[in-house]
C-alpha cells in the first residue's frame, strides 16, 4: 500500500467517522500506520475546518451521512480516483459502445477517454458530457431525464426509457458505498434503480470506487448488480472486505496509487 499524503488521509478519516459515527485516535493510528500525534493534527485540522467534532480521545461526525455535492466530492481522494480512472480506461477497446454513470470517479474516467478512437459513449452525467463534448473521435449520446443537482446526473423515467433503446459493451458505475452483502449504496432510490437498469444493459459491469467506500453504508438505498461484476479500487482497500467480495464472485482490481510529493496542493482535472 502506498503511503497516503495528509490530505488523502484526512479525507479517509472523515469517511471513517461518517460511517461509524465515532472513532478514536488509537484506531485511526493503527488503520493508517501513522503516529497518534499525526492523527491528532489531522483531527485538529478537520475540526478547524468544521468537518468533524472532537471528542475525548477521538472524533465524531457532525451530521449523519449527509450527501455531498459533486463539487465537494471531486477534490476528495483525488489521486486514488485518478489512478482508478486510468486503470479502468485500459478496459475499453476501440469500436466499443460504453455507458458512463454520473459521479466524480466516472468523470475522471471520461477525462482519460478523451484520447480514445472510434468510441461511442452514452452517459447520464454532466461531467462526462463536459469532458467529451469537444472530442471528435468519440461519439457522445446523452441519456436525458430529470437532473439531480447534487450528483449532476440524470434520473427518472425519461432516462430509463432512453436506456431501453441501447445496449453496451461496458458500463462504469460510481457509488457512495459498497457492501459485499447488499451491493452498492446511493442516497436516492431513483439512482439505485437506474444503476440496476444500466447494469442489465451491458455485457461487462464495472464499479469505480476508492478504498474508503468499501464497507461504507452511508444511506439506505441499495442496488444489486448481476453476478460477475468488477470493482476497480485502489491499493488501500481493506483486505478482509476485498476477500469477502471475491468470495461472492466479484472481480476486484487493486490499483496502485503513486505517492504525491505535494499532497496539499492537488487540483482536479478539468
Amino acid at each position: 500500500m502506498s503511503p497516503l499524503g495528509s490530505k488523502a488521509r484526512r479525507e479517509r478519516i472523515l469517511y471513517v467517522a461518517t460511517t461509524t459515527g465515532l472513532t478514536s485516535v488509537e484506531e485511526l493510528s493503527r488503520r493508517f500506520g501513522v503516529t497518534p500525534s499525526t492523527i491528532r493534527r489531522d483531527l485538529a485540522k478537520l475540526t478547524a475546518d468544521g468537518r468533524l467534532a472532537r471528542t475525548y480521545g477521538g472524533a465524531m461526525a457532525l451530521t449523519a451521512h449527509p450527501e455531498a455535492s459533486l463539487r465537494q466530492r471531486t477534490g476528495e481522494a483525488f489521486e486514488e480516483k485518478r489512478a482508478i480512472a486510468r486503470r479502468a480506461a485500459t478496459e475499453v477497446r476501440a469500436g466499443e459502445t460504453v455507458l458512463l454513470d454520473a459521479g466524480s470517479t466516472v468523470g475522471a474516467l471520461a477525462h482519460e477517454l478523451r484520447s480514445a478512437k472510434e468510441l461511442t459513449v452514452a452517459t447520464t452525467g454532466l461531467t462526462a458530457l463536459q469532458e467529451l463534448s469537444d472530442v471528435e473521435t468519440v461519439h457522445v449520446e446523452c441519456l436525458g431525464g430529470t437532473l439531480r443537482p447534487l450528483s449532476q446526473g440524470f434520473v427518472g423515467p425519461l432516462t430509463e426509457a432512453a436506456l431501453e433503446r441501447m445496449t453496451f459493451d461496458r458500463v462504469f458505475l460510481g457509488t457512495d458505498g459498497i457492501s459485499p452483502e447488499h451491493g452498492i449504496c446511493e442516497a436516492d432510490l431513483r439512482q439505485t434503480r437506474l444503476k440496476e437498469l444500466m447494469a442489465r444493459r451491458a455485457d461487462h459491469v464495472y464499479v469505480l470506487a476508492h478504498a474508503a467506500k468499501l464497507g461504507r453504508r452511508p444511506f439506505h438505498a441499495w442496488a444489486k448488480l448481476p453476478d460477475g461484476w468488477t470493482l476497480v479500487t485502489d491499493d488501500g482497500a481493506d483486505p478482509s472486505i476485498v476477500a469477502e467480495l471475491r468470495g461472492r464472485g466479484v472481480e476486484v482490481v487493486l490499483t496502485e496509487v503513486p505517492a504525491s510529493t505535494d499532497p496539499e496542493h492537488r487540483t482536479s482535472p478539468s
Side-chain angles (χ1 to χ4, degrees):
M1 175 179 172
S2 302
L4 293 176
S6 57
K7 182 178 179 181
R9 186 176 60 251
R10 288 168 192 162
E11 293 299 337
R12 293 203 184 176
I13 289 171
L14 189 62
Y15 271 117
V16 171
T18 302
T19 302
T20 64
L22 180 68
T23 191
S24 70
V25 170
E26 290 73 19
E27 176 189 350
L28 293 170
S29 176
R30 290 192 299 269
R31 188 184 189 105
F32 296 107
V34 297
T35 64
S37 60
T38 297
I39 293 296
R40 291 189 186 95
R41 286 194 296 271
D42 289 336
L43 296 180
K45 171 64 174 171
L46 289 167
T47 301
D49 290 344
R51 306 180 75 189
L52 281 183
R54 289 298 300 271
T55 65
Y56 180 75
M60 64 183 297
L62 287 171
T63 57
H65 313 313
E67 181 184 7
S69 69
L70 181 65
R71 183 183 297 275
Q72 290 171 314
R73 287 183 280 121
T74 297
E76 296 175 352
F78 172 72
E79 295 294 346
E80 289 86 346
K81 292 177 182 179
R82 185 165 65 174
I84 290 166
R86 286 175 175 170
R87 176 60 180 83
T90 67
E91 297 290 314
V92 178
R93 304 289 181 264
E96 289 188 334
T97 296
V98 301
L99 176 58
L100 301 184
D101 197 5
S104 56
T105 310
V106 180
L109 170 60
H111 182 78
E112 296 297 324
L113 294 179
R114 288 179 57 85
S115 59
K117 308 295 183 184
E118 304 297 328
L119 191 66
T120 296
V121 173
T123 183
T124 60
L126 287 183
T127 302
L129 284 174
Q130 292 166 351
E131 287 286 357
L132 299 171
S133 62
D134 63 342
V135 181
E136 294 184 358
T137 57
V138 178
H139 176 74
V140 178
E141 297 282 356
C142 175
L143 303 180
T146 301
L147 180 66
R148 291 191 74 245
L150 278 174
S151 66
Q152 293 290 283
F154 294 102
V155 296
L158 293 179
T159 316
E160 295 169 11
L163 272 175
E164 294 177 357
R165 295 178 176 270
M166 298 184 72
T167 57
F168 307 92
D169 295 294
R170 306 176 198 278
V171 60
F172 296 89
L173 302 173
T175 183
D176 287 323
I178 295 177
S179 163
E181 179 183 2
H182 299 292
I184 62 175
C185 182
E186 292 293 337
D188 188 284
L189 284 170
R190 295 173 299 171
Q191 289 179 290
T192 54
R193 171 178 166 78
L194 182 61
K195 289 176 193 287
E196 289 179 349
L197 294 175
M198 293 169 74
R200 293 174 193 167
R201 305 300 291 175
D203 294 334
H204 303 282
V205 179
Y206 302 82
V207 176
L208 311 185
H210 62 87
K213 293 186 176 181
L214 274 64
R216 186 170 182 251
R217 304 172 60 179
F219 306 110
H220 294 286
W222 294 88
K224 280 286 190 180
L225 301 181
D227 293 340
W229 59 278
T230 299
L231 169 65
V232 184
T233 187
D234 62 83
D235 55 1
D238 186 324
S240 64
I241 299 177
V242 170
E244 188 174 354
L245 285 165
R246 286 173 171 163
R248 292 176 180 267
V250 178
E251 180 181 355
V252 181
V253 177
L254 299 176
T255 305
E256 183 177 356
V257 180
S260 173
T261 57
D262 189 16
E264 295 289 353
H265 295 87
R266 297 172 184 153
T267 57
S268 60
S270 60

